[in-house]
């Protein structure tokens, strides 16, 4: 029996050249099961046109040519050489330019499976995942429930209100944002979680989140009561226990921390094979913040990189300091300008001298923060609350934020230093990376009221261009204008192009 293929051009290619081109590319540039292959891949994986080590590289199947997809160099090569097949060097899938789509071929898929397995064995990883096979009980349930739910563009599956259990609007908003995080939703609905608390699974917050996702996407529209989630958060984050109003940002960080602790190691990678946690929370939410401290005497640069789950941004000076009619005020109070201030070099002054590792004396210095690694989901926390002894204040300044955000100007790769004087400079070549650093807005948490009392609501994106306002048990239709004109406290963005490591 011939292998199943979704593309006649792949079938024609195999009849003329066989499957060796697929196998060679997989073994030496995708799976890389030997140390020699890994070194070759590290040296060779760049676009032959722009010479950039950009993501989404494709290899032509007819000749020795690597081209990046984002800058359309592989497309231009295909058109000029009439080579209509290429292979994605990250995932190993075939791109057919004649069919204008990625295509499936059973024989090539089997080659990819064997090569990946070979590479996993060389790393000491026996199984990264196990295919789902229904149990007898699940087969019986499927027979008893033959009706299937079809998700369409107008579908309301996933939209469900949450009962307020007494000043728990802060929790309800974070739950709505998390349950509408696309990658987190895909993870839980695929039943990927393996409980690490075998002795007491009822205490596992990740198991409860999995149940919560099942509740949200079951098709039931009546409001859900998240009492078990609240109890678990109280149990594992004691500082949030009680019925008084809590801060939504603090609840988000506490929830991510407990989820991170409870799902460590469930990805299938042991701590011996990976120095970093590879749990789903870190894969989605963790980024790297680079701090460069420059000595003002010898211009030596000391660099540290710290992980982050969110970016907290100051809102800038009050409007009264800039003048009521100042156009500069509107310019300053945008998310982009908050990020510019966040990544701007800061002079630490004479009271904060540090000991330079090069000139071995305490010197004044400048400090600059940039993004070394962007997470798949970025949460921006607008610092609207000021707390000091006997003083609490909320900053209600309107901060404009875009539906689509390009983080390229704030990347470490976009910044450099003039070796002569240590001054920061912007590298023009960084513009080629912009397409890989673009984000789309999918949730906004808002606060209405004062620093001492108030109410949280949120906007979530259900499908593309379909926005809804969530206020505890009430879900109402909203427009993108409603979202962009809201005050904004927590802004959730996810990457437009996903590259998995």
């Amino acid at each position: 029996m011939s292998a199943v293929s979704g593309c006649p051009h792949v079938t024609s290619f195999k009849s003329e050249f066989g499957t060796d081109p697929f196998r060679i590319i997989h073994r030496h540039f995708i799976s890389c099961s030997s140390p020699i292959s890994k070194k070759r891949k590290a040296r060779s994986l760049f676009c032959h046109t722009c010479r950039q080590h950009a993501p989404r590289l494709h290899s032509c199947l007819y000749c020795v040519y690597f081209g990046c997809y984002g800058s359309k160099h592989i497309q231009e090569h295909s058109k000029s050489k009439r080579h209509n097949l290429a292979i994605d060097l990250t995932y190993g899938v075939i791109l057919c330019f004649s069919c204008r789509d990625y295509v499936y071929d059973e024989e090539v898929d089997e080659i990819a499976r064997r090569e990946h397995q070979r590479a996993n064995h060389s790393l000491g990883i026996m199984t990264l995942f196990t295919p789902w096979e229904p149990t007898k009980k699940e087969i019986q349930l499927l027979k008893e429930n033959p009706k299937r739910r079809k998700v369409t563009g107008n579908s309301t599956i996933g939209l469900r209100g949450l009962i307020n259990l007494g000043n728990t609007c802060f929790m309800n908003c974070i739950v709505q944002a998390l349950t509408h995080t696309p990658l987190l939703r895909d993870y839980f609905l695929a039943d990927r979680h393996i409980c690490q608390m075998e002795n007491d699974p009822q205490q596992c917050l990740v198991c409860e989140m999995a149940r919560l996702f099942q509740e949200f996407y079951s098709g039931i529209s009546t409001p859900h009561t998240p009492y078990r989630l609240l109890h678990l958060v109280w149990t594992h984050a004691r500082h949030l226990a009680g019925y008084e109003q809590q801060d939504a940002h603090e609840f988000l960080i506490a929830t991510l921390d407990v989820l991170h602790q409870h799902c460590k190691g469930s990805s299938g990678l042991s701590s011996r094979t990976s120095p970093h946690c590879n749990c789903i929370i870190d894969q989605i939410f963790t980024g790297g913040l680079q701090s460069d401290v420059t000595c003002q005497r010898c211009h030596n640069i000391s660099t540290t990189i710290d992980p982050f789950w969110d970016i907290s941004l100051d809102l800038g000076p009050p409007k009264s300091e800039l003048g009521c009619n100042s156009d500069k005020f509107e310019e300053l109070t945008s998310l982009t300008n908050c990020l510019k201030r966040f990544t701007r070099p800061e002079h630490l002054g004479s009271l904060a001298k540090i000991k330079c590792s090069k000139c071995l004396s305490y010197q004044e210095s400048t400090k600059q923060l940039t993004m070394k690694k962007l997470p798949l989901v970025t949460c921006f926390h607008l610092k609207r609350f000021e707390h000091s002894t006997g003083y609490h204040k909320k900053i209600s300044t309107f901060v404009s934020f875009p539906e689509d955000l390009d983080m390229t100007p704030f990347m470490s790769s976009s910044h450099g230093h003039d070796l002569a004087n240590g001054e920061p400079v912007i590298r023009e070549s960084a513009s080629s990376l912009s397409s890989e650093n673009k984000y789309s807005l999918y949730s906004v948490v808002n606060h209405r009221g004062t620093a001492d009392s108030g109410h949280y609501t949120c906007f979530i994106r259900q499908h593309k261009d379909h926005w809804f306002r969530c206020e505890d048990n009430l879900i109402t239709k909203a427009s993108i204008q409603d979202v962009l004109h809201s005050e904004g406290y927590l802004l959730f963005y996810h990457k437009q192009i996903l590259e998995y490591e």
Side-chain angles (χ1 to χ4, degrees), residues 240-280:
L240 294 176
Y243 286 101
E244 63 271 15
Q245 179 70 274
Q246 301 288 351
D247 179 60
H249 173 249
E250 188 177 1
F251 181 83
L252 169 67
I253 299 304
T255 302
L256 290 179
D257 184 52
V258 177
L259 288 171
H260 164 72
Q261 295 296 329
H262 288 191
C263 72
K264 271 185 176 180
S266 63
S267 62
L269 288 175
S270 70
S271 58
R272 289 174 298 175
T273 60
S274 177
H276 305 290
C277 177
N278 199 35
C279 75
I280 190 61

mmCIF file of all heavy atoms in Angstrom, residues 240-280:
data_model
loop_
_atom_site.group_PDB
_atom_site.id
_atom_site.type_symbol
_atom_site.label_atom_id
_atom_site.label_comp_id
_atom_site.label_asym_id
_atom_site.label_seq_id
_atom_site.Cartn_x
_atom_site.Cartn_y
_atom_site.Cartn_z
ATOM 1 N N LEU A 240 -3.020 35.817 51.168
ATOM 2 C CA LEU A 240 -4.217 36.202 50.414
ATOM 3 C C LEU A 240 -5.496 35.682 51.060
ATOM 4 O O LEU A 240 -6.594 35.904 50.541
ATOM 5 C CB LEU A 240 -4.124 35.669 48.981
ATOM 6 C CG LEU A 240 -3.020 36.268 48.110
ATOM 7 C CD1 LEU A 240 -2.975 35.579 46.757
ATOM 8 C CD2 LEU A 240 -3.219 37.771 47.925
ATOM 9 N N ALA A 241 -5.365 34.945 52.181
ATOM 10 C CA ALA A 241 -6.544 34.362 52.834
ATOM 11 C C ALA A 241 -7.395 35.448 53.477
ATOM 12 O O ALA A 241 -6.890 36.446 53.984
ATOM 13 C CB ALA A 241 -6.102 33.341 53.879
ATOM 14 N N GLY A 242 -8.720 35.241 53.443
ATOM 15 C CA GLY A 242 -9.648 36.204 54.022
ATOM 16 C C GLY A 242 -10.532 36.829 52.969
ATOM 17 O O GLY A 242 -10.262 36.727 51.768
ATOM 18 N N TYR A 243 -11.604 37.481 53.419
ATOM 19 C CA TYR A 243 -12.598 38.015 52.488
ATOM 20 C C TYR A 243 -12.418 39.501 52.177
ATOM 21 O O TYR A 243 -13.277 40.105 51.547
ATOM 22 C CB TYR A 243 -14.010 37.771 53.041
ATOM 23 C CG TYR A 243 -14.442 36.322 52.924
ATOM 24 C CD1 TYR A 243 -14.393 35.480 54.016
ATOM 25 C CD2 TYR A 243 -14.864 35.811 51.698
ATOM 26 C CE1 TYR A 243 -14.774 34.143 53.915
ATOM 27 C CE2 TYR A 243 -15.250 34.477 51.577
ATOM 28 C CZ TYR A 243 -15.195 33.651 52.680
ATOM 29 O OH TYR A 243 -15.567 32.330 52.559
ATOM 30 N N GLU A 244 -11.303 40.089 52.615
ATOM 31 C CA GLU A 244 -11.074 41.481 52.254
ATOM 32 C C GLU A 244 -10.602 41.565 50.807
ATOM 33 O O GLU A 244 -10.073 40.593 50.253
ATOM 34 C CB GLU A 244 -10.057 42.148 53.200
ATOM 35 C CG GLU A 244 -8.666 41.540 53.169
ATOM 36 C CD GLU A 244 -8.490 40.410 54.162
ATOM 37 O OE1 GLU A 244 -9.510 39.907 54.676
ATOM 38 O OE2 GLU A 244 -7.330 40.013 54.401
ATOM 39 N N GLN A 245 -10.761 42.754 50.217
ATOM 40 C CA GLN A 245 -10.352 42.955 48.828
ATOM 41 C C GLN A 245 -8.841 42.812 48.701
ATOM 42 O O GLN A 245 -8.086 43.340 49.504
ATOM 43 C CB GLN A 245 -10.776 44.354 48.364
ATOM 44 C CG GLN A 245 -10.387 44.701 46.942
ATOM 45 C CD GLN A 245 -11.172 43.917 45.894
ATOM 46 O OE1 GLN A 245 -10.799 42.809 45.538
ATOM 47 N NE2 GLN A 245 -12.262 44.493 45.418
ATOM 48 N N GLN A 246 -8.379 42.073 47.661
ATOM 49 C CA GLN A 246 -6.965 41.876 47.416
ATOM 50 C C GLN A 246 -6.586 42.522 46.082
ATOM 51 O O GLN A 246 -7.446 42.872 45.279
ATOM 52 C CB GLN A 246 -6.615 40.383 47.386
ATOM 53 C CG GLN A 246 -6.950 39.626 48.657
ATOM 54 C CD GLN A 246 -6.023 39.967 49.802
ATOM 55 O OE1 GLN A 246 -5.014 40.645 49.631
ATOM 56 N NE2 GLN A 246 -6.375 39.521 51.009
ATOM 57 N N ASP A 247 -5.283 42.650 45.876
ATOM 58 C CA ASP A 247 -4.787 43.235 44.640
ATOM 59 C C ASP A 247 -4.719 42.168 43.552
ATOM 60 O O ASP A 247 -4.154 41.083 43.770
ATOM 61 C CB ASP A 247 -3.398 43.837 44.869
ATOM 62 C CG ASP A 247 -2.809 44.439 43.615
ATOM 63 O OD1 ASP A 247 -3.422 45.355 43.056
ATOM 64 O OD2 ASP A 247 -1.747 43.975 43.179
ATOM 65 N N ALA A 248 -5.269 42.451 42.372
ATOM 66 C CA ALA A 248 -5.312 41.472 41.279
ATOM 67 C C ALA A 248 -3.912 41.095 40.814
ATOM 68 O O ALA A 248 -3.648 39.933 40.487
ATOM 69 C CB ALA A 248 -6.131 42.024 40.105
ATOM 70 N N HIS A 249 -3.001 42.056 40.793
ATOM 71 C CA HIS A 249 -1.627 41.770 40.370
ATOM 72 C C HIS A 249 -0.941 40.828 41.357
ATOM 73 O O HIS A 249 -0.279 39.861 40.962
ATOM 74 C CB HIS A 249 -0.843 43.075 40.253
ATOM 75 C CG HIS A 249 0.615 42.865 39.988
ATOM 76 N ND1 HIS A 249 1.585 43.160 40.924
ATOM 77 C CD2 HIS A 249 1.276 42.358 38.910
ATOM 78 C CE1 HIS A 249 2.776 42.861 40.438
ATOM 79 N NE2 HIS A 249 2.625 42.380 39.216
ATOM 80 N N GLU A 250 -1.129 41.085 42.642
ATOM 81 C CA GLU A 250 -0.533 40.227 43.666
ATOM 82 C C GLU A 250 -1.105 38.809 43.570
ATOM 83 O O GLU A 250 -0.379 37.818 43.721
ATOM 84 C CB GLU A 250 -0.798 40.819 45.057
ATOM 85 C CG GLU A 250 -0.071 40.107 46.174
ATOM 86 C CD GLU A 250 -0.289 40.759 47.529
ATOM 87 O OE1 GLU A 250 -1.038 41.759 47.594
ATOM 88 O OE2 GLU A 250 0.273 40.271 48.518
ATOM 89 N N PHE A 251 -2.398 38.715 43.297
ATOM 90 C CA PHE A 251 -3.036 37.401 43.156
ATOM 91 C C PHE A 251 -2.489 36.658 41.934
ATOM 92 O O PHE A 251 -2.256 35.451 41.986
ATOM 93 C CB PHE A 251 -4.553 37.561 43.034
ATOM 94 C CG PHE A 251 -5.287 36.252 42.911
ATOM 95 C CD1 PHE A 251 -5.617 35.508 44.032
ATOM 96 C CD2 PHE A 251 -5.641 35.757 41.664
ATOM 97 C CE1 PHE A 251 -6.275 34.294 43.919
ATOM 98 C CE2 PHE A 251 -6.303 34.544 41.534
ATOM 99 C CZ PHE A 251 -6.627 33.813 42.668
ATOM 100 N N LEU A 252 -2.272 37.389 40.828
ATOM 101 C CA LEU A 252 -1.726 36.770 39.618
ATOM 102 C C LEU A 252 -0.357 36.153 39.899
ATOM 103 O O LEU A 252 -0.113 34.981 39.559
ATOM 104 C CB LEU A 252 -1.608 37.810 38.503
ATOM 105 C CG LEU A 252 -0.805 37.376 37.268
ATOM 106 C CD1 LEU A 252 -1.533 36.271 36.515
ATOM 107 C CD2 LEU A 252 -0.531 38.568 36.355
ATOM 108 N N ILE A 253 0.544 36.915 40.521
ATOM 109 C CA ILE A 253 1.901 36.431 40.781
ATOM 110 C C ILE A 253 1.877 35.254 41.748
ATOM 111 O O ILE A 253 2.588 34.252 41.557
ATOM 112 C CB ILE A 253 2.785 37.572 41.327
ATOM 113 C CG1 ILE A 253 2.889 38.701 40.293
ATOM 114 C CG2 ILE A 253 4.159 37.049 41.681
ATOM 115 C CD1 ILE A 253 3.402 38.270 38.941
ATOM 116 N N ALA A 254 1.027 35.340 42.778
ATOM 117 C CA ALA A 254 0.920 34.238 43.738
ATOM 118 C C ALA A 254 0.388 32.976 43.067
ATOM 119 O O ALA A 254 0.873 31.864 43.326
ATOM 120 C CB ALA A 254 0.014 34.648 44.905
ATOM 121 N N THR A 255 -0.593 33.135 42.182
ATOM 122 C CA THR A 255 -1.175 31.989 41.482
ATOM 123 C C THR A 255 -0.154 31.348 40.549
ATOM 124 O O THR A 255 -0.012 30.117 40.519
ATOM 125 C CB THR A 255 -2.418 32.425 40.686
ATOM 126 O OG1 THR A 255 -3.377 33.006 41.575
ATOM 127 C CG2 THR A 255 -3.050 31.243 39.967
ATOM 128 N N LEU A 256 0.568 32.165 39.782
ATOM 129 C CA LEU A 256 1.595 31.623 38.894
ATOM 130 C C LEU A 256 2.681 30.903 39.690
ATOM 131 O O LEU A 256 3.187 29.851 39.267
ATOM 132 C CB LEU A 256 2.220 32.744 38.056
ATOM 133 C CG LEU A 256 1.334 33.374 36.976
ATOM 134 C CD1 LEU A 256 2.094 34.489 36.258
ATOM 135 C CD2 LEU A 256 0.847 32.343 35.976
ATOM 136 N N ASP A 257 3.022 31.447 40.856
ATOM 137 C CA ASP A 257 4.058 30.832 41.681
ATOM 138 C C ASP A 257 3.606 29.460 42.182
ATOM 139 O O ASP A 257 4.374 28.486 42.125
ATOM 140 C CB ASP A 257 4.391 31.743 42.864
ATOM 141 C CG ASP A 257 5.528 31.195 43.708
ATOM 142 O OD1 ASP A 257 6.583 30.869 43.138
ATOM 143 O OD2 ASP A 257 5.351 31.072 44.931
ATOM 144 N N VAL A 258 2.377 29.355 42.665
ATOM 145 C CA VAL A 258 1.875 28.063 43.164
ATOM 146 C C VAL A 258 1.725 27.078 42.012
ATOM 147 O O VAL A 258 2.085 25.898 42.133
ATOM 148 C CB VAL A 258 0.533 28.245 43.913
ATOM 149 C CG1 VAL A 258 -0.022 26.886 44.351
ATOM 150 C CG2 VAL A 258 0.715 29.147 45.126
ATOM 151 N N LEU A 259 1.196 27.536 40.875
ATOM 152 C CA LEU A 259 1.082 26.659 39.701
ATOM 153 C C LEU A 259 2.466 26.157 39.279
ATOM 154 O O LEU A 259 2.638 24.975 38.951
ATOM 155 C CB LEU A 259 0.419 27.410 38.540
ATOM 156 C CG LEU A 259 -1.078 27.690 38.661
ATOM 157 C CD1 LEU A 259 -1.534 28.623 37.535
ATOM 158 C CD2 LEU A 259 -1.881 26.393 38.610
ATOM 159 N N HIS A 260 3.445 27.063 39.287
ATOM 160 C CA HIS A 260 4.826 26.701 38.931
ATOM 161 C C HIS A 260 5.362 25.619 39.876
ATOM 162 O O HIS A 260 5.958 24.632 39.435
ATOM 163 C CB HIS A 260 5.680 27.964 38.987
ATOM 164 C CG HIS A 260 7.148 27.725 39.027
ATOM 165 N ND1 HIS A 260 7.862 27.277 37.939
ATOM 166 C CD2 HIS A 260 8.052 27.867 40.039
ATOM 167 C CE1 HIS A 260 9.141 27.164 38.275
ATOM 168 N NE2 HIS A 260 9.277 27.508 39.537
ATOM 169 N N GLN A 261 5.114 25.785 41.178
ATOM 170 C CA GLN A 261 5.606 24.815 42.155
ATOM 171 C C GLN A 261 4.913 23.456 41.992
ATOM 172 O O GLN A 261 5.537 22.408 42.152
ATOM 173 C CB GLN A 261 5.369 25.335 43.588
ATOM 174 C CG GLN A 261 6.163 26.582 43.939
ATOM 175 C CD GLN A 261 7.667 26.344 43.923
ATOM 176 O OE1 GLN A 261 8.132 25.243 44.206
ATOM 177 N NE2 GLN A 261 8.427 27.378 43.585
ATOM 178 N N HIS A 262 3.618 23.472 41.650
ATOM 179 C CA HIS A 262 2.840 22.237 41.592
ATOM 180 C C HIS A 262 2.976 21.485 40.272
ATOM 181 O O HIS A 262 2.592 20.312 40.195
ATOM 182 C CB HIS A 262 1.355 22.539 41.857
ATOM 183 C CG HIS A 262 1.081 22.880 43.286
ATOM 184 N ND1 HIS A 262 -0.200 22.965 43.805
ATOM 185 C CD2 HIS A 262 1.930 23.165 44.313
ATOM 186 C CE1 HIS A 262 -0.121 23.291 45.086
ATOM 187 N NE2 HIS A 262 1.160 23.422 45.410
ATOM 188 N N CYS A 263 3.467 22.133 39.225
ATOM 189 C CA CYS A 263 3.562 21.416 37.945
ATOM 190 C C CYS A 263 4.999 21.238 37.489
ATOM 191 O O CYS A 263 5.258 20.889 36.349
ATOM 192 C CB CYS A 263 2.742 22.105 36.862
ATOM 193 S SG CYS A 263 3.414 23.657 36.251
ATOM 194 N N LYS A 264 5.972 21.466 38.380
ATOM 195 C CA LYS A 264 7.374 21.250 38.040
ATOM 196 C C LYS A 264 7.599 19.819 37.590
ATOM 197 O O LYS A 264 7.114 18.872 38.202
ATOM 198 C CB LYS A 264 8.267 21.525 39.250
ATOM 199 C CG LYS A 264 8.729 22.959 39.373
ATOM 200 C CD LYS A 264 9.698 23.087 40.519
ATOM 201 C CE LYS A 264 10.258 24.502 40.607
ATOM 202 N NZ LYS A 264 11.202 24.633 41.720
ATOM 203 N N GLY A 265 8.315 19.688 36.489
ATOM 204 C CA GLY A 265 8.694 18.362 36.016
ATOM 205 C C GLY A 265 7.658 17.634 35.219
ATOM 206 O O GLY A 265 7.908 16.559 34.690
ATOM 207 N N SER A 266 6.431 18.192 35.080
ATOM 208 C CA SER A 266 5.374 17.468 34.369
ATOM 209 C C SER A 266 5.550 17.504 32.871
ATOM 210 O O SER A 266 4.783 16.895 32.134
ATOM 211 C CB SER A 266 4.004 18.055 34.728
ATOM 212 O OG SER A 266 3.911 19.402 34.305
ATOM 213 N N SER A 267 6.585 18.214 32.373
ATOM 214 C CA SER A 267 6.824 18.277 30.923
ATOM 215 C C SER A 267 7.508 17.032 30.401
ATOM 216 O O SER A 267 7.575 16.824 29.198
ATOM 217 C CB SER A 267 7.691 19.499 30.598
ATOM 218 O OG SER A 267 8.944 19.371 31.242
ATOM 219 N N GLY A 268 8.043 16.191 31.298
ATOM 220 C CA GLY A 268 8.723 14.985 30.853
ATOM 221 C C GLY A 268 10.230 15.130 30.851
ATOM 222 O O GLY A 268 10.949 14.166 30.661
ATOM 223 N N LEU A 269 10.736 16.351 31.072
ATOM 224 C CA LEU A 269 12.190 16.558 31.138
ATOM 225 C C LEU A 269 12.631 16.512 32.593
ATOM 226 O O LEU A 269 12.072 17.219 33.430
ATOM 227 C CB LEU A 269 12.567 17.916 30.530
ATOM 228 C CG LEU A 269 12.454 18.030 29.008
ATOM 229 C CD1 LEU A 269 12.747 19.467 28.602
ATOM 230 C CD2 LEU A 269 13.393 17.086 28.307
ATOM 231 N N SER A 270 13.587 15.699 32.914
ATOM 232 C CA SER A 270 14.068 15.613 34.281
ATOM 233 C C SER A 270 15.019 16.763 34.556
ATOM 234 O O SER A 270 15.569 17.382 33.655
ATOM 235 C CB SER A 270 14.802 14.282 34.506
ATOM 236 O OG SER A 270 16.023 14.269 33.802
ATOM 237 N N SER A 271 15.232 17.030 35.850
ATOM 238 C CA SER A 271 16.120 18.127 36.225
ATOM 239 C C SER A 271 17.561 17.827 35.833
ATOM 240 O O SER A 271 18.369 18.714 35.716
ATOM 241 C CB SER A 271 16.031 18.363 37.741
ATOM 242 O OG SER A 271 16.368 17.177 38.441
ATOM 243 N N ARG A 272 17.891 16.566 35.621
ATOM 244 C CA ARG A 272 19.256 16.212 35.246
ATOM 245 C C ARG A 272 19.559 16.567 33.794
ATOM 246 O O ARG A 272 20.686 16.836 33.424
ATOM 247 C CB ARG A 272 19.477 14.704 35.462
ATOM 248 C CG ARG A 272 19.532 14.303 36.933
ATOM 249 C CD ARG A 272 19.605 12.794 37.066
ATOM 250 N NE ARG A 272 18.421 12.163 36.504
ATOM 251 C CZ ARG A 272 18.266 10.843 36.398
ATOM 252 N NH1 ARG A 272 19.228 10.038 36.793
ATOM 253 N NH2 ARG A 272 17.167 10.342 35.881
ATOM 254 N N THR A 273 18.547 16.551 32.941
ATOM 255 C CA THR A 273 18.778 16.839 31.526
ATOM 256 C C THR A 273 18.577 18.300 31.188
ATOM 257 O O THR A 273 18.941 18.743 30.120
ATOM 258 C CB THR A 273 17.842 15.991 30.643
ATOM 259 O OG1 THR A 273 16.483 16.304 30.977
ATOM 260 C CG2 THR A 273 18.084 14.512 30.863
ATOM 261 N N SER A 274 17.942 19.072 32.083
ATOM 262 C CA SER A 274 17.704 20.494 31.805
ATOM 263 C C SER A 274 17.984 21.303 33.056
ATOM 264 O O SER A 274 17.377 21.051 34.091
ATOM 265 C CB SER A 274 16.260 20.712 31.336
ATOM 266 O OG SER A 274 16.002 22.083 31.142
ATOM 267 N N PRO A 275 18.874 22.302 32.998
ATOM 268 C CA PRO A 275 19.184 23.101 34.178
ATOM 269 C C PRO A 275 18.066 24.061 34.543
ATOM 270 O O PRO A 275 18.047 24.593 35.635
ATOM 271 C CB PRO A 275 20.448 23.862 33.757
ATOM 272 C CG PRO A 275 20.336 23.969 32.274
ATOM 273 C CD PRO A 275 19.661 22.699 31.819
ATOM 274 N N HIS A 276 17.130 24.300 33.636
ATOM 275 C CA HIS A 276 16.044 25.237 33.881
ATOM 276 C C HIS A 276 14.718 24.494 33.961
ATOM 277 O O HIS A 276 14.542 23.437 33.365
ATOM 278 C CB HIS A 276 15.982 26.285 32.764
ATOM 279 C CG HIS A 276 17.268 27.017 32.557
ATOM 280 N ND1 HIS A 276 17.771 27.919 33.463
ATOM 281 C CD2 HIS A 276 18.173 26.965 31.539
ATOM 282 C CE1 HIS A 276 18.918 28.403 33.028
ATOM 283 N NE2 HIS A 276 19.193 27.833 31.865
ATOM 284 N N CYS A 277 13.798 25.062 34.735
ATOM 285 C CA CYS A 277 12.468 24.470 34.827
ATOM 286 C C CYS A 277 11.794 24.560 33.467
ATOM 287 O O CYS A 277 11.835 25.589 32.801
ATOM 288 C CB CYS A 277 11.647 25.203 35.884
ATOM 289 S SG CYS A 277 9.954 24.597 36.006
ATOM 290 N N ASN A 278 11.162 23.459 33.078
ATOM 291 C CA ASN A 278 10.510 23.421 31.775
ATOM 292 C C ASN A 278 9.008 23.203 31.924
ATOM 293 O O ASN A 278 8.356 22.680 31.026
ATOM 294 C CB ASN A 278 11.120 22.299 30.918
ATOM 295 C CG ASN A 278 10.824 22.485 29.443
ATOM 296 O OD1 ASN A 278 10.781 23.610 28.969
ATOM 297 N ND2 ASN A 278 10.610 21.405 28.722
ATOM 298 N N CYS A 279 8.453 23.608 33.080
ATOM 299 C CA CYS A 279 7.007 23.439 33.280
ATOM 300 C C CYS A 279 6.250 24.403 32.381
ATOM 301 O O CYS A 279 6.811 25.359 31.845
ATOM 302 C CB CYS A 279 6.633 23.650 34.747
ATOM 303 S SG CYS A 279 6.651 25.389 35.268
ATOM 304 N N ILE A 280 4.954 24.165 32.221
ATOM 305 C CA ILE A 280 4.147 24.946 31.278
ATOM 306 C C ILE A 280 4.088 26.423 31.666
ATOM 307 O O ILE A 280 4.041 27.302 30.795
ATOM 308 C CB ILE A 280 2.714 24.350 31.154
ATOM 309 C CG1 ILE A 280 1.953 25.010 30.009
ATOM 310 C CG2 ILE A 280 1.955 24.465 32.472
ATOM 311 C CD1 ILE A 280 2.581 24.816 28.646
#
